[in-house]
Amino acid sequence: MMSLFDEEQIIKSFIKSEKHDEARETSKRLIKKGKMSLDEIAEYVPTLSFDELKELGTEVMQLV
């Protein structure tokens, strides 16, 4: 019974992590396009904090 619970928690954690990674990649693409402000991106990608969006913005601009 306990291992079933553990497996379920692991799967849920994995799915949450994948969604977060997908949100980060989407945000990076939007930042690279430069057509939306971070405030606008935050509205469309609410799973990321504004501070995380600012960090992504800095990261993307360093790569350009």
Side-chain angles (χ1 to χ4, degrees), residues 26-64:
T26 298
S27 297
K28 282 182 182 181
R29 286 194 304 274
L30 291 170
I31 292 168
K32 282 181 187 176
K33 286 193 179 252
K35 295 184 178 186
M36 296 175 74
S37 70
L38 292 181
D39 289 324
E40 291 171 317
I41 294 171
E43 288 180 34
Y44 291 101
V45 188
T47 56
L48 300 180
S49 69
F50 191 75
D51 288 337
E52 191 168 3
L53 284 173
K54 287 194 299 188
E55 288 175 18
L56 284 173
T58 302
E59 181 182 315
V60 167
M61 293 307 163
Q62 289 176 349
L63 295 174
V64 174

Side-chain angles (χ1 to χ4, degrees), residues 4-20:
L4 180 61
F5 176 76
D6 291 341
E7 287 178 28
E8 185 177 331
Q9 288 301 102
I10 290 168
I11 291 170
K12 285 181 180 180
S13 178
F14 176 76
I15 290 169
K16 185 176 179 180
S17 175
E18 287 296 308
K19 287 182 179 181
H20 186 263

